Amino acid sequence: MRESESGTATAPRGRVQKRQAILDAALSVFTREGYGLASIDAIAAEAGVAKPTIYNHLGGKENLFRIVMVEAAEQSRTKILQALDAFPTDATDLRGQLTAIAHRVLECQAGERGWALQRLIYAEAPRFPDLCDTIRATSTDQVTNALAGRLAWLSNAGHLDVPDPVTAAHQFMALISGDLPLLSALGTRPVNGADLDRAVTAGVDTFLRAFTPRRDHVT
C-alpha cells in the first residue's frame, strides 16, 4: 500500500492507471482553467500523484495539453463512428433514420465535455495552430470519410443523388449542428428539447431536399 498526499492509504497504481489518472485530471483542469492558468501543480493534486510523476510519464505542460486534446478528440471520433453504425441502408424511412442518426451524433459532440473541448480548442488555436490540424486529421476527417462512404452507398443504391460524398458529409454535419452554438451559447446553457428537435429536423429536411433524386421529389 502507498499513502496519498492527503495521508490516506490507497492501493498502488500501475503505470497505465497513473497515466490515465493524469490525463483525466489534466482534461478537467485545462477545460476549467484554460491552458494559460492551468498548472502542473493543480493537475498533480487532482490526479493524486507527485509533480515529477507527470513529467516522467507525459512531459511538460505543453506536451501534456497536446496529448490530452488529441486523445479526447480520438475518443469523440470513436463514439461518433459507433453512432454511424446505425446509418440507414435503404430508403424505407430515410428522413426518420437520418434524424435519429443526427441526434446520436450530436449527443457525442454536444455534451458538457464535448463543448468544453470545443471551447478550449478555439481559445487556444492561436497558441497551438498546428493542433487543430492534428485533431482534424486524427478525428474530424475520419468521421467525414466514414459518413461520406455511407452517403456514397445510398447514392449508388439510388436512394440519394450525391455527386461528391465528402462535400455532402460536411454539409450534413453543418446542417444538423449549425444552430447549436447559438442555441446553447457555445455549450454554456442547456438547449430546449423542442428547439433541438426543430433544428435537427430542419437540417435533415434541407439535406434531403438537396440530395433526394429528382424522380423522388414530390411535385
Side-chain angles (χ1 to χ4, degrees), residues 124-148:
E124 302 303 335
R127 194 194 304 263
F128 298 99
D130 62 307
L131 187 56
C132 289
D133 294 332
T134 300
I135 289 173
R136 186 181 67 229
T138 59
S139 180
T140 308
D141 286 353
Q142 291 187 36
V143 169
T144 299
N145 290 335
L147 177 56

Side-chain angles (χ1 to χ4, degrees), residues 24-201:
D24 291 342
L27 179 61
S28 176
V29 173
F30 282 133
T31 55
R32 183 175 66 242
E33 304 292 342
Y35 179 83
L37 295 178
S39 68
I40 294 295
D41 287 317
I43 294 169
E46 191 148 332
V49 301
K51 185 175 177 180
T53 301
I54 294 181
Y55 289 106
N56 291 337
H57 281 257
L58 295 157
K61 177 177 168 181
E62 178 177 334
N63 190 60
L64 178 58
F65 180 76
R66 291 178 180 278
I67 292 172
V68 165
M69 298 305 290
V70 171
E71 291 202 3
E74 290 174 346
Q75 291 171 6
S76 177
R77 174 203 65 201
T78 298
K79 290 180 181 179
I80 295 174
L81 291 178
Q82 290 172 346
L84 291 179
D85 285 343
F87 208 82
T89 57
D90 59 51
T92 303
D93 180 22
L94 196 52
R95 175 177 278 103
Q97 290 173 302
L98 288 178
T99 300
I101 286 291
H103 277 286
R104 291 186 64 185
V105 169
L106 292 183
E107 286 174 5
C108 299
Q109 286 187 319
E112 181 178 345
R113 171 171 164 163
W115 277 119
L117 287 169
Q118 290 182 58
R119 291 194 298 270
L120 189 56
I121 290 170
Y122 297 148
E124 302 303 335
R127 194 194 304 263
F128 298 99
D130 62 307
L131 187 56
C132 289
D133 294 332
T134 300
I135 289 173
R136 186 181 67 229
T138 59
S139 180
T140 308
D141 286 353
Q142 291 187 36
V143 169
T144 299
N145 290 335
L147 177 56
R150 287 158 173 79
L151 293 175
W153 194 97
L154 287 173
S155 184
N156 291 335
H159 304 313
L160 292 175
D161 182 9
V162 182
D164 183 345
V166 172
T167 297
H170 282 297
Q171 291 170 337
F172 179 80
M173 296 296 287
L175 286 167
I176 65 172
S177 62
D179 289 342
L180 278 182
L182 182 60
L183 290 174
S184 68
L186 294 178
T188 59
R189 65 186 179 209
V191 179
N192 178 277
D195 290 338
L196 179 61
D197 287 342
R198 279 193 293 270
V200 169
T201 298

